[in-house]
């Protein structure tokens, strides 16, 4: 009964969703509640069976040694998947204790806390067969048939097909089938070809997005296998793996806490509650896939993977977001507006043609009146309806969405080559409007390959032979501070000749320096001491500390490591090279150390200081936190992190494009200024801090809102910043109307706050990558500049397509409308206009979408979010081209027979041919959108010339060999020359 009561209370709590939760959080909360409650109720009903089963499991001592040498001899593990799931999903400590606690589960899974699993192919395969793989069920990929069906949902296409079918049916009934209905059959063929092209394009685009999504989810995780740390794909994690967790990681599997310090987890993705949960050995050792580490570090044991985790079951209930991007929404709005105009024109054409027919002003092929007042020809009326529908078909730019699809698909593929993976299309489009880029320093502007280049002990720099020139006592204390106060590790191979360092670049640099320069033996130091308390590093405190007890004399010591100026502020004394402890008696002494730190920082060195204090047993008992006062400064190391090659040029490109680059870093002001100057963010290093160009994070935080809004535009560098400072800056910039892009590897909140979030693919945390819109795969700022340039290129290409297609639409609409109203017939038939859709639009899209992001794009101002897609310059070019085509083709339509001495069939063919060739030259004009001349580059682009050549060849085939299909007549050389000359005359109009 007690279990049932507790289950009911839990269910009521989970189902009580706070009203303030957002809609997505409510969905997550609901999914989690359903899974949790169903498992709890199932557990209650099977309580007796489960108890008997667990009673049969023997208690395993915590010091049990597991033989991992021959795992293949064991056919199964001593614990099954159901038992592990019941322990985790219910957070049941009693059931965990029945297994002998976490050490018992470790033993039952044949792993080792320090060494992990063996990790051989046979071992991994056996675990996957027993417990499953770390993969999730995906939404079924849409088939090609699905996209074919989607293409036929266009109302205009359906009306056109319906009219063609009725016309074909009545025509066959009225005439002999052998006579053929080429117009109607041609419409069917053209429509199916257009829809086939659209379906293939959309299908390939969907496959490419799935490929990008798969690459995005393939995250590298650090695990321990066979006694050493290694990076593996998240998909390769198996039950029994020992996983290393650090701040910013997303937990990749369900599991149990093994060891670590100050671990706090954000479980809001599952429960909807924003409070951070503390995870430890005794009270809450449970870790769940999909949650995020917000503080501390730890090792965890994976007990459930893939679809057996709570996250996997929730993911199976969440559908993928398929909402349209802002650019697509704007294009759909534009298309809708054009459709309304074209429908009005179509209705007017329908009325005029019906009036002409029923008033007896129309004749058939034999010059007989079609309507004599007593009989209506169904075929003639259907032709009138089809003609009016044809006006809609040509006027509505149906392929604009296809054009955007092809352009984005091509660009996404090229972006992967350029080391950037787009996770959200809207952000990619928005890069064309970016005005500010706020970037981290480490890993983006620099290589993040730190190396200790300077070491100061007291007021003296230690150059060579550090281990021999330092007092043995001071050397021992420094070694203890480095070896114990770290989240990194040192691994020696069996031969002992090679040493591997793991951890963050800062930790690896310090460990490498201590091992190679100070002869530090990490394992020996760890065995000689016992850790009592740990305070982990985070971006706010900018320091970490440990309290340890020496086994030899039971003395207790506190070690601190962190930002040099912050550690210095905690010290009241310092050690010199001889081992003497000296007091920082006055401000003058302290100022000398500050000058040393500033001098190192001005040389682009990141300064890390070490401090130490010995405390008594009584002081230790009274301390709830590590002692931070009256420490002794051990030394200061300076690490060099060189700037990335090409970063200065990339920054200058962004600035030249009108995009301001701001650097936000945790380094001190002097290091930040030096790096910013080296990268080109600051023009000169001696800029006065009072000018507001360089600001300290705490200073910015303490400004009033009005002061921040007044000064935020001038700030180029923010030093000693916290995540809160970065968010404040982004908020202020957005309030001032800027479109802000943030580039960072660890600050998920800033990425979400920004208009465009760009995360680091190598050094970035999993949480940051999941929170970002674009992942920079090589962590280089040069790739950020490439994304900016490609974003502008996509927007320009879309505008080129709009200009090109609206020119065709306007010209064809006016020509057919005037022809229908004045003469009762349309110069351009349905087949010919559908052929235009298939050949010119499709090839036109390919021709334009393959335009490369040239550097000239960075010379133009950014694109405003509220700017019209059709600019003044576009209207000028569009109307000029359309008017030329309208005048020429209508003149040819009404006067061509007398001017050129042509019969009606040849004249109609020339109208169609000139119209198509005008679009070929219009493609060239549109391609050089907003620029002065096309002659300088036209011969350099072989792909574009190839597409133009294909369009001309297909048109020749259409005119000369598909006479019945296209209702054309063969042209002689003189007529072809006239067509080309008239069409070519439109070329100078756009230049």
């Amino acid at each position: 009964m007690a279990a049932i009561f507790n289950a009911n209370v839990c269910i009521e709590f989970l189902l009580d969703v706070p009203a303030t939760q957002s809609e997505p959080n409510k969905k997550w909360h609901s999914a989690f509640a359903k899974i949790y409650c169903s498992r709890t109720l199932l557990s209650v009903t099977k309580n007796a069976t489960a108890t008997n089963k667990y009673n049969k499991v023997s208690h395993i001592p915590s010091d049990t040694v597991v033989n991992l040498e021959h795992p293949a001899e064991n056919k199964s593990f001593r614990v099954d998947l159901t038992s592990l799931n019941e322990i985790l999903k219910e957070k049941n400590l009693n059931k965990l204790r029945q297994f002998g606690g976490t050490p018992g589960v470790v033993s039952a899974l044949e792993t080792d806390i320090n060494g992990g699993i063996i990790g051989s192919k046979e071992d991994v395969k056996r675990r996957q067969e027993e417990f499953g793989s770390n993969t999730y069920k995906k939404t079924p990929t849409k088939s090609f048939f699905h996209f074919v069906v989607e293409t036929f949902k266009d109302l205009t296409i359906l009306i056109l097909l319906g009219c063609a079918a009725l016309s074909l049916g009545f025509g066959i009934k009225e005439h002999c089938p052998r006579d053929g209905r080429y117009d109607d059959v041609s419409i069917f063929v053209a429509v199916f070809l257009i829809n086939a092209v659209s379906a293939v394009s959309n299908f390939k685009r969907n496959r490419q997005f799935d490929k990008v999504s798969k690459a995005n989810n393939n995250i590298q995780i650090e695990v321990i296998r066979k006694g050493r740390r290694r990076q593996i794909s998240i998909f390769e994690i198996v039950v029994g793996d020992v996983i290393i967790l650090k701040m910013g990681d997303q937990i990749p599997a369900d599991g149990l806490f093994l060891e670590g310090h100050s671990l706090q987890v954000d479980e809001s993705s599952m429960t909807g509650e924003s409070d951070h949960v503390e995870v430890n050995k005794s009270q809450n050792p449970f870790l769940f896939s999909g949650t995020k580490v917000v503080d501390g570090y730890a090792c965890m044991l994976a007990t459930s993977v893939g679809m057996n985790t709570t996250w996997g079951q929730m993911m199976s209930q969440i559908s993928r977001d398929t909402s349209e991007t802002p650019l697509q929404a704007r294009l759909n709005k534009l298309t809708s507006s054009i459709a309304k105009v074209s429908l009005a024109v179509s209705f007017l054409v329908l009325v005029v043609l019906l009036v002409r027919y029923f008033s007896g002003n129309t004749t058939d092929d034999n010059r007989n009146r079609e309507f004599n007042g007593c009989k209506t020809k169904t075929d003639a009326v259907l032709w009138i309806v089809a003609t009016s529908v044809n006006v809609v078909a040509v006027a509505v730019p149906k392929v604009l969405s296809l054009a955007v699809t092809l352009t984005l698909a091509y660009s996404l593929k090229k972006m992967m080559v350029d080391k950037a993976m787009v996770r959200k299309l809207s952000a990619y489009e928005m890069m064309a409007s970016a005005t500010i880029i706020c970037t981290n320093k480490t890993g983006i502007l620099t290589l993040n390959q730190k190396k200790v280049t300077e070491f100061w002990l007291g007021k003296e720099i230690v150059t060579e032979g550090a281990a021999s020139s330092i007092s043995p006592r001071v050397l021992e204390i420094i070694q203890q501070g480095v070896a114990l106060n770290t989240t990194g590790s040192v691994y020696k191979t069996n031969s002992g000749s090679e040493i591997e360092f793991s951890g963050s670049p800062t930790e690896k640099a310090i460990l490498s320096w201590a091992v190679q320069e100070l002869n530090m033996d990490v394992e020996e130091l760890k065995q000689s001491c016992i850790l009592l308390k740990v305070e982990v590093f985070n971006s706010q405190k900018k320091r970490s500390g440990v309290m340890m007890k020496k086994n030899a004399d039971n003395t207790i010591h506190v070690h601190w490591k962190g930002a040099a100026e912050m550690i210095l502020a905690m010290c009241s004394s310092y050690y010199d090279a001889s081992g003497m402890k000296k007091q920082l008696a006055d401000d003058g002494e302290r100022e000398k150390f500050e000058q040393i730190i500033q001098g190192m920082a001005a040389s682009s060195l990141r300064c890390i200081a070490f401090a130490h204090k010995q405390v008594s047993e009584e002081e230790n008992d009274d301390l709830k936190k590590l002692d931070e006062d009256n420490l002794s400064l051990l030394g200061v190391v300076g690490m060099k992190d060189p700037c990335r090659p090409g970063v200065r040029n990339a920054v200058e490109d962004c600035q030249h494009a009108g995009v301001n680059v701001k650097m936000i870093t945790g380094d001190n002001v002097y290091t930040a200024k030096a790096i910013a100057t080296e990268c080109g963010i600051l023009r000169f290093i001696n800029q006065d801090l009072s000018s507001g160009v360089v600001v300290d994070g705490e200073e910015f935080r303490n400004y009033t809102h009005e002061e921040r809004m007044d000064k935020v535009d001038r700030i180029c560098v923010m030093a000693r910043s916290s995540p809160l400072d970065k968010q404040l800056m982004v908020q202020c910039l957005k309030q001032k109307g800027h479109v802000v892009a943030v580039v960072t590897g660890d600050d998920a909140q800033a990425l979400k706050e920004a208009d465009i979030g760009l995360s680091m693919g190598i050094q970035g945390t999993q949480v940051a990558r999941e929170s970002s819109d674009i992942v920079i795969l090589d962590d280089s700022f040069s790739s950020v500049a490439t994304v900016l340039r490609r974003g502008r290129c996509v927007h320009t290409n879309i505008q080129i397509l709009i200009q090109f297609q609206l020119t065709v639409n306007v010209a064809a609409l006016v020509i057919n409308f005037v022809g229908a109203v004045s003469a009762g017939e349309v110069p351009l038939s349905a087949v010919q206009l559908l052929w235009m859709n298939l050949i010119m639009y499709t090839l036109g899209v390919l021709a334009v979408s393959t335009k490369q992001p040239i550097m000239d794009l960075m010379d133009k101002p950014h694109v405003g979010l509220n700017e019209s897609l059709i600019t003044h310059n576009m209207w000028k070019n569009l109307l000029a081209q359309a008017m030329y085509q309208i005048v020429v083709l209508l003149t040819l339509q009404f006067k061509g027979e007398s001017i050129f001495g042509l019969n009606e069939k040849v004249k109609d063919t020339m109208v169609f041919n000139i119209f198509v060739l005008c679009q070929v030259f219009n493609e060239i004009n549109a391609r050089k959108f907003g620029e002065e001349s096309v002659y300088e580059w036209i011969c350099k682009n072989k792909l574009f010339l190839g597409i133009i050549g294909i369009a001309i060849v297909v048109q020749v085939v259409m005119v000369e060999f598909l006479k019945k299909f296209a209702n054309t007549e063969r042209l002689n050389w003189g007529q072809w020359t006239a067509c080309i000359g008239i069409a070519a005359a439109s070329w100078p109009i756009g230049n």
Side-chain angles (χ1 to χ4, degrees), residues 185-330:
V185 174
S186 299
I187 291 174
F188 281 114
V189 173
V191 167
F192 277 103
L193 286 174
I194 290 173
N195 287 354
V197 172
S198 298
V200 169
S201 173
N202 289 331
F203 177 70
K204 291 183 68 176
R205 187 272 308 261
N206 192 66
R207 293 286 297 271
Q208 183 174 354
F209 285 169
D210 286 341
K211 185 178 179 180
V212 170
S213 177
K214 182 178 179 181
N216 176 58
N217 293 329
N218 188 18
I219 299 164
Q220 296 296 305
I221 298 295
E222 191 173 21
V223 300
I224 300 177
R225 288 186 177 179
K226 208 172 182 179
R228 61 186 295 186
R229 292 191 185 188
R230 62 179 66 179
Q231 296 277 342
I232 65 171
S233 168
I234 189 173
F235 303 128
E236 297 175 9
I237 291 175
V238 294
V239 170
D241 261 323
V242 176
I243 304 170
I244 308 298
L245 299 176
K246 58 184 182 298
M247 188 174 62
D249 284 348
Q250 183 167 308
I251 298 174
D254 287 359
L256 297 170
F257 180 93
L258 293 177
E259 58 184 17
H261 300 282
S262 306
L263 185 66
Q264 289 191 340
V265 176
D266 178 8
E267 295 184 353
S268 60
S269 59
M270 293 197 320
T271 64
E273 301 296 331
S274 58
D275 293 337
H276 297 161
V277 178
E278 184 176 350
V279 181
N280 50 48
K281 283 185 180 180
S282 57
Q283 297 177 338
N284 181 28
F286 308 106
L287 293 161
F288 295 97
S289 174
T291 58
K292 303 170 185 178
V293 178
V294 294
D295 202 359
Y297 66 92
C299 294
M300 68 167 282
L301 172 72
T303 59
S304 298
V305 294
M307 293 305 299
N308 297 316
T309 65
T310 304
W311 178 259
Q313 295 180 28
M314 291 170 65
M315 287 296 290
S316 66
Q317 300 182 24
I318 303 296
S319 59
R320 185 170 61 178
D321 181 22
T322 57
S323 58
E324 62 186 6
T325 68
L327 182 56
Q328 288 171 330
R330 294 169 71 187

Side-chain angles (χ1 to χ4, degrees), residues 770-790:
E770 290 293 327
S771 302
S772 65
D773 305 311
I774 301 172
V775 180
I776 305 301
L777 299 177
D778 62 353
D779 288 6
S780 173
F781 191 82
S782 298
S783 297
V784 177
T786 302
V787 172
L788 176 66
R789 190 164 62 250
R790 282 206 173 272

Side-chain angles (χ1 to χ4, degrees), residues 212 216 412 415 420-431 740-742 744 748 750-760 767-776 787:
V212 170
N216 176 58
L412 290 179
M415 284 298 297
M421 181 171 60
V422 180
R423 301 181 70 248
K424 192 175 180 181
L425 283 177
S426 59
Y428 183 32
E429 296 167 359
M430 195 173 287
M431 280 301 292
V740 185
V742 167
T744 183
L751 290 169
K752 291 180 179 179
E753 187 74 39
D755 296 298
I756 310 112
L758 300 99
S759 64
M760 299 161 60
V767 174
R769 288 191 291 267
E770 290 293 327
S771 302
S772 65
D773 305 311
I774 301 172
V775 180
I776 305 301
V787 172

Side-chain angles (χ1 to χ4, degrees), residues 88-109:
L88 264 293
K89 301 302 186 297
E90 300 169 20
K91 294 187 176 182
N92 197 318
L93 286 171
N94 291 329
K95 291 182 181 179
L96 180 61
R97 294 190 187 102
Q98 290 172 359
F99 274 95
T102 301
V105 177
V106 171
S107 177
L109 290 174

Side-chain angles (χ1 to χ4, degrees), residues 888-889 892 896-897 899-915 917 955-956 959-960 963 968-984:
V888 168
L889 295 179
L892 188 61
E897 295 180 28
I899 295 175
F900 295 99
L902 307 172
N903 61 43
E904 185 177 359
K905 197 74 171 178
V906 174
K907 181 257 298 180
D908 290 341
T909 301
M910 287 190 67
V911 170
F912 168 58
N913 200 31
I914 291 171
F915 185 64
L917 293 176
Q955 179 62 18
V956 171
V959 171
E960 298 293 326
K963 296 166 52 179
T968 57
E969 192 72 23
R970 284 191 174 184
L971 303 178
N972 57 39
W973 284 106
Q975 291 163 349
W976 268 105
T977 302
C979 290
I980 295 173
I982 294 172

Side-chain angles (χ1 to χ4, degrees), residues 346-483:
S346 174
F347 179 74
L348 184 58
V349 169
L350 177 63
V351 171
V352 171
L353 291 181
L354 288 175
V355 169
R356 288 176 59 87
Y357 174 78
F358 287 109
S359 63
N361 291 322
T362 58
T363 59
D364 58 17
D365 294 338
N366 298 321
R367 301 292 180 179
N368 296 322
R369 182 182 295 180
E370 289 186 302
F371 181 75
N372 55 18
C374 60
K375 184 179 179 181
T376 301
K377 292 184 179 181
T378 307
D379 199 22
V381 173
L382 282 174
W383 180 89
I384 291 173
V385 175
T387 300
S388 62
V389 172
N390 185 28
V391 173
V392 180
V394 68
V396 179
K398 299 179 297 299
V399 293
L400 271 181
S401 57
L402 171 63
V404 176
T405 298
L406 288 174
T407 302
L408 289 175
Y410 179 83
S411 299
L412 290 179
K413 185 176 180 180
K414 288 297 182 181
M415 284 298 297
M416 291 293 288
V417 176
D418 291 335
K419 304 299 181 183
M421 181 171 60
V422 180
R423 301 181 70 248
K424 192 175 180 181
L425 283 177
S426 59
Y428 183 32
E429 296 167 359
M430 195 173 287
M431 280 301 292
S433 304
T435 57
I436 300 287
I437 297 177
C438 298
T439 177
N440 275 14
K441 172 187 75 71
T442 305
I444 289 287
L445 301 175
T446 62
L447 289 170
N448 204 15
Q449 297 175 357
K450 297 184 178 70
K451 181 180 180 181
V452 175
T453 58
E454 284 189 24
F455 173 50
W456 287 75
L457 184 58
K459 300 175 185 177
E460 300 177 7
I461 187 171
V462 180
T463 53
E464 297 180 359
S468 58
S469 60
I470 302 173
S471 164
R473 179 170 177 272
V474 175
L475 180 64
E476 180 186 7
I477 297 174
I478 294 175
Q479 289 176 342
Q480 289 173 357
V482 173

Side-chain angles (χ1 to χ4, degrees), residues 436-439 661-665 692-697 700-701 703 708-709 711-719 721-736 738 740 742 750 753:
I436 300 287
I437 297 177
C438 298
T439 177
V661 181
K662 299 179 184 293
M663 187 179 82
I664 305 176
T665 178
V693 176
V694 182
V695 67
D696 185 270
F700 182 79
R701 197 183 319 140
Y703 286 154
R708 278 196 293 268
M709 294 294 289
K711 298 179 180 181
V712 69
D713 279 330
R714 293 198 300 273
I715 296 173
C716 293
V717 178
M718 181 188 290
S721 64
S722 67
L724 176 61
D725 302 329
K726 194 179 300 182
Q727 291 176 52
L728 280 174
M729 173 170 277
V730 173
Q731 290 169 359
C732 291
L733 290 169
K734 289 176 67 177
Q735 289 172 19
K736 297 202 74 172
H738 292 289
V740 185
V742 167
E753 187 74 39

